[in-house]
Amino acid sequence: MENSELPPRPPLFDFQGVSMIHYFTDNWENVQNFQARPDDILIATYPKAGTTWVSYILDLLYFGQTAPERQTSIPIYERVPFLECDFKMLTPGTELADKLTTSPRLIKTHLPVQFVPKSFWEQNCRVVYVARNAKDNLVSYFHFDKMNLVEPEP
């Protein structure tokens, strides 16, 4: 496919002092009103810091023995929904998280701490924060965004 045939990349815009893309803010009211449960586990990462890796590990630790079939029958984005994402072609992350029947619910986010729904703090949920060497993270994110068309040009 030639560049002229590619869909346009969305622009970054200032959202309450943070550069964001609309896929993270289109469902904002539902994100902020999301009701966490006391046993929820929030996986909080910077993009390309190991989010999927940690999601798989926690899913295996919590459900690998009791429901091993879920590893091959349910995609990771449904087992561990991305709370703020609203990519129109998929069910919004808030809806996927609400539909989870597992306990604990594993939910991931790239939101800065000030944007995490208050209910996670009110319910005293556990948070798994993942950090990666900043240089490695930058290189990974750059190469990912070269092929990922849902974010601005890297």
Side-chain angles (χ1 to χ4, degrees):
M1 197 178 336
E2 291 184 27
N3 282 346
S4 61
E5 298 174 33
L6 297 175
R9 289 173 177 263
L12 278 176
F13 66 96
D14 183 274
F15 183 78
Q16 299 178 22
V18 176
S19 294
M20 294 280 237
I21 56 172
H22 72 90
Y23 295 116
F24 288 0
T25 60
D26 284 353
N27 193 27
W28 196 247
E29 186 174 334
N30 290 329
V31 170
Q32 288 303 288
N33 293 325
F34 181 77
Q35 291 303 302
R37 298 179 192 152
D39 66 336
D40 285 349
I41 298 174
L42 184 66
I43 302 167
T45 68
Y46 191 78
K48 309 314 296 171
T51 315
T52 303
W53 183 66
V54 171
S55 297
Y56 270 105
I57 291 170
L58 289 175
D59 189 66
L60 279 168
L61 286 171
Y62 281 98
F63 310 112
Q65 294 291 321
T66 57
E69 71 285 349
R70 64 188 267 118
Q71 302 303 316
T72 55
S73 64
I74 305 170
I76 191 67
Y77 65 84
E78 289 181 9
R79 288 182 275 149
V80 185
F82 193 178
L83 185 66
E84 63 271 21
C85 275
D86 189 5
F87 289 121
K88 305 308 174 209
M89 62 263 187
L90 299 171
T91 306
T94 51
E95 283 183 43
L96 288 171
D98 280 334
K99 291 178 185 175
L100 286 175
T101 58
T102 55
S103 183
R105 294 186 302 184
L106 302 173
I107 302 166
K108 64 186 171 192
T109 185
H110 291 324
L111 291 174
V113 67
Q114 70 267 28
F115 291 162
V116 170
K118 287 183 180 23
S119 66
F120 283 99
W121 312 120
E122 294 165 351
Q123 295 296 324
N124 201 27
C125 296
R126 288 174 285 171
V127 177
V128 175
Y129 176 75
V130 181
R132 180 179 181 187
N133 175 288
K135 292 177 185 177
D136 292 340
N137 207 143
L138 178 73
V139 170
S140 178
Y141 201 0
F142 173 79
H143 289 290
F144 177 77
D145 269 357
K146 284 176 64 174
M147 66 86 187
N148 177 17
L149 300 178
V150 298
E151 295 193 13
E153 190 68 38

